Amino acid sequence: MTKSKTTDSTVFSFTLKLTGLLAAKVDNFSLLKESGILHYMFDPEGWHIPELWKNASVRCAWLHGLWSMLQHQQALDFFCRKGLINQVLCLQSDESLFIASLTNQVLVHFMNSTMVTVLNNCETKAQNDSPDSLDWDSATAEVMNHVAVSLASEEQSTILSGIRLVVVALAQCSEPLKGKLWKHVLEPLDVLVQYGSLTRPILAVLQAVAKSTLFINPECRVEALMEAMLYSRNTNDSVQCAALVLQLENSSQTLKRKAKDVLFLPLLHVTSSSLQPHGQENSYMENQLSQRISCVSLLTQSLSSIADLICKESLADIPVQQITTSVISLLRICIGNHLSTSPNLQTSSHLFGCCKVQRSSLDLLGSLTVYKENVDLLHEALSVLLLYLQCPDLHATVLKKAHEATLKWFSICALSPESCNTISHDIFPLLKKHVCDGRWEVRDSTLEFIMQLTATLKGSIKYAEAFQDSDMISVLFTSLEDGEGYVRASAVTALGQAFTATNLSLCTSLQEELCKHLLNILTQDPENFPRRAAVKVFISWLKSPLTFSSLDHTISSVLSVGSNDFDWEVKVHTLELAGLLMEYSSGVFTFSETTCINQALKKLRDLGVFDVLLKCIFDCDRPVSEKACTLLLKLRKFLKQTCSTGHNGFTVEITRCSWGQEILKSCNRRQQTGDPNCVRFGDSESSRQMNSEDCGPNDCGTEKLDLFKVLEVLDLEDMQYNLSLSSDHVINSPRSIMEDILFAAQQNEENTVDCY
């Protein structure tokens, strides 16, 4: 490669990476250096073809090679003496984002490696006194000075490249290096914060430094920078910084109090709450709230940050009920319920009908249910949520958020007669209308809400009575005929939940009707989602402690139809159903009576469980085969235990078509090898036909075989191992990478993808 003058860029890129990998070991490094290969490969100025450097994939490979090589002191010495550090620093501003990002990784790796070298040299006086040894502190300082100069630049792109390196270094460097780097960048960062630009990238720096010990060091002035950011001219950035401060465990209470003021201020200002911080500078905020776009952006940022902090349990000592009341007021403003009484009419007009603020407010209202004191505000919260559910032109996504918030508020307390009355007389009639909405998203969201509400209030006799009195079951049955597959799937799930969460399971006629519908969906529905949902309903019923008499007549049909489905997820769910049936029968296997064991096995055979498992083991979809293999191994374990006590000879009928042929061929192969444990066939005509090479795929019939011996013949452990290996073991290998590179090199069109 060093002598070739017609090198292809792709092959050269690979050679650069290979050289770096080889040079990672000291002996290899010495050989490559002595032969001049190392100097040639990593000195672009000496390449026979200078144009190669213009290729992004070559520059990327050059960096990868360096990164791999920098594993020992000799490589670090070579890197510094050849001035390669300057070349890497120049690539920080490369037009390729992949290369710029890779540059930061190489520089951080270099600094960490030099720190290790410095510590090692300090322990060895001879090395430390060597006149030829490099000043590693100076080498590291060169990188840090470069970063400081970048942050002080007038070019925004240069500043951003410096900030990105600081973030990576603070995340990956050792603590001593972080301290040195911070001393270099603190002053230019302070200037950038005061100037008020690039606040979001600076937030990334503050977030990184807050996770280190520098945060609690007063000399590092991290909290001072954060406080300056809290009162940025861009209020959105101030809110982001406030959220960051409140997530930190080590920040001072004073800083946290100021962060809370900043975080809540937009919400409290819009709703004219008396909780607004006194003396707070609101001029920037008032200016931002006076314009529609910035007003919406600021409010959504504030609301979503509060909700996120509540979910992370990062908000403490806040006036919960007052905040909740403000959110309820904001929701009323957004739906036009408070326009006439709101003092901030201009701001209110910006928010009326705004979906973004409505969604964020509903999310926050739902999150606030984690505070127990909000039980007293249940009536007010449900009142405003009911307003949203009653709105005829509400956006579908907002309605979904209203459903989610309603569920959370119903879950925080026991169902009172008043709440039950609200569900029966207000919510259920609205849901009936929404199920008939012209938008499928609304119908789907409504059915999901019915299912989730039923699950949330499971066990409530009052809810069960209200559900039946409102005839919601008829609404769900009607939705099974919906033209949209997602809606049919949601209707199936809602019906399944209704039967397990209420006393509908006592009605045999309703059970039979639903089983008929579900089987019809499994057999005829053209879309996957309803069929998946149908099998899941049978699984939930089987897991339920309730008695479903209709299952006895239906389950074998479900297994047969589900295992023949075109969708792999339907087949996996069918196998899960088969696994549950095996679990319920597994207790019988521990008994010593042959009659009990055979009865359990016969029950599974009659239901078609064995047929499903043996068929799915040869399925073309890996997850299906893997699931079937796991269940068959479990079955074989049970049978081994029973066979050890003398119970064996249980037979199954294997069809001589499709998957059955594969099993019979496996049995024949084992028989021909003389394996004493293999299945022995008789001299029947069907057996002779199966052993004939002229047997065609359509020559159907059955063969009775011992179940345990069939499971031994299949070599399930080997199958499970091969199935557990995903496609990565084939695709993500050195051989496949070489094949990809050679294939790309043979193409006429140049490969310009720099992330290759």
Side-chain angles (χ1 to χ4, degrees), residues 76-358:
L76 293 169
D77 183 89
F78 175 83
F79 181 73
C80 293
R81 292 186 187 279
K82 292 295 182 182
L84 299 182
I85 188 170
N86 295 322
Q87 192 79 42
V88 176
L89 290 172
C90 289
L91 287 178
Q92 257 210 305
S93 57
D94 196 275
E95 59 185 10
S96 166
L97 293 177
F98 296 100
I99 292 176
S101 176
L102 184 58
T103 302
N104 294 333
Q105 297 293 336
V106 173
L107 290 170
V108 169
H109 175 77
F110 167 72
M111 289 192 291
N112 278 329
S113 301
T114 55
M115 178 58 66
V116 174
T117 303
V118 169
L119 294 176
N120 290 338
N121 286 350
C122 288
E123 295 176 0
T124 308
K125 189 176 185 302
Q127 287 184 351
N128 201 34
D129 294 337
S130 174
D132 295 329
S133 62
L134 284 168
D135 185 355
W136 297 110
D137 282 330
S138 298
T140 305
E142 184 177 354
V143 178
M144 296 181 179
N145 289 331
H146 172 82
V147 176
V149 171
S150 298
L151 295 181
S153 172
E154 295 182 358
E155 294 291 332
Q156 182 169 316
S157 58
T158 304
I159 298 174
L160 286 173
S161 66
I163 287 177
R164 293 190 191 102
L165 177 54
V166 171
V167 172
V168 176
L170 289 173
Q172 299 181 12
C173 281
S174 58
E175 288 297 327
L177 275 175
K178 290 179 183 179
K180 290 183 178 181
L181 177 64
W182 191 252
K183 289 180 181 179
H184 280 77
V185 302
L186 179 56
E187 185 176 342
L189 275 177
D190 196 7
V191 173
L192 289 173
V193 169
Q194 299 300 328
Y195 186 69
S197 63
L198 299 174
T199 48
R200 293 195 180 186
I202 294 174
L203 274 176
V205 174
L206 296 178
Q207 190 167 12
V209 75
K211 296 177 181 178
S212 70
T213 56
L214 303 176
F215 182 58
I216 57 176
N217 186 345
E219 295 181 1
C220 294
R221 298 178 51 242
V222 180
E223 280 206 354
L225 290 177
M226 288 184 173
E227 185 171 349
M229 291 286 289
L230 284 177
Y231 303 109
S232 167
R233 295 179 183 179
N234 188 321
T235 321
N236 282 75
D237 297 329
S238 299
V239 170
Q240 280 191 355
C241 185
L244 170 62
V245 169
L246 292 170
Q247 289 181 50
L248 303 175
E249 295 181 0
N250 297 325
S251 55
S252 65
Q253 292 301 316
T254 302
L255 186 62
K256 283 191 174 183
R257 179 182 56 77
K258 293 179 179 179
K260 288 176 187 176
D261 291 345
V262 170
L263 188 66
F264 292 130
L265 190 56
L267 169 65
L268 302 177
H269 184 81
V270 168
T271 57
S272 300
S273 172
S274 58
L275 288 172
Q276 291 186 70
H278 297 292
Q280 181 89 17
E281 179 58 53
N282 294 340
S283 57
Y284 292 139
M285 179 171 297
E286 289 176 356
N287 180 57
Q288 199 163 351
L289 292 173
S290 64
Q291 305 172 41
R292 177 177 172 78
I293 295 178
S294 56
C295 172
V296 171
S297 175
L298 175 58
L299 261 179
T300 52
Q301 179 70 58
S302 174
L303 295 168
S304 60
S305 296
I306 297 171
D308 185 53
L309 288 169
I310 290 174
C311 292
K312 295 177 180 177
E313 300 181 355
S314 300
L315 274 180
D317 302 324
I318 63 170
V320 173
Q321 290 194 339
Q322 288 88 340
I323 296 297
T324 306
T325 302
S326 294
V327 176
I328 292 173
S329 299
L330 179 59
L331 282 168
R332 291 185 179 277
I333 291 172
C334 290
I335 207 170
N337 192 255
H338 261 187
L339 278 177
S340 58
T341 58
S342 175
N344 298 323
L345 291 177
Q346 184 181 9
T347 303
S348 300
S349 63
H350 296 331
L351 303 177
F352 175 64
C354 179
C355 294
K356 289 184 178 180
V357 178
Q358 288 174 338

Side-chain angles (χ1 to χ4, degrees), residues 562-576 612-613 615-632 723:
S563 61
N564 286 301
D565 201 276
F566 291 109
D567 181 61
W568 71 268
E569 289 194 46
V570 173
K571 288 183 282 191
V572 168
H573 294 321
T574 304
L575 287 169
E576 185 180 347
V612 169
L613 298 181
K615 173 170 55 179
C616 288
I617 195 73
F618 298 104
D619 197 90
C620 59
D621 289 305
R622 186 178 62 84
V624 179
S625 301
E626 195 171 16
K627 179 72 173 177
C629 189
T630 302
L631 292 175
L632 285 172
L723 289 167

Side-chain angles (χ1 to χ4, degrees), residues 665-700:
K665 286 178 181 177
S666 299
C667 293
N668 287 328
R669 283 194 294 269
R670 290 286 291 274
Q671 182 174 331
Q672 291 167 5
T673 60
D675 190 335
N677 296 321
C678 74
V679 180
R680 296 289 179 181
F681 295 110
D683 295 326
S684 65
E685 179 63 30
S686 60
S687 297
R688 288 194 294 272
Q689 183 181 7
M690 189 61 231
N691 285 319
S692 172
E693 294 181 0
D694 299 329
C695 179
N698 296 321
D699 295 331
C700 293

Side-chain angles (χ1 to χ4, degrees), residues 709-724:
K709 291 183 177 179
V710 168
L711 297 180
E712 286 293 328
V713 165
L714 288 176
D715 197 3
L716 295 171
E717 285 85 1
D718 187 57
M719 282 188 175
Q720 188 180 50
Y721 172 75
N722 289 324
L723 289 167
S724 66

Side-chain angles (χ1 to χ4, degrees), residues 251 382 510 516 530:
S251 55
L382 290 179
L510 276 178
K516 181 180 177 181

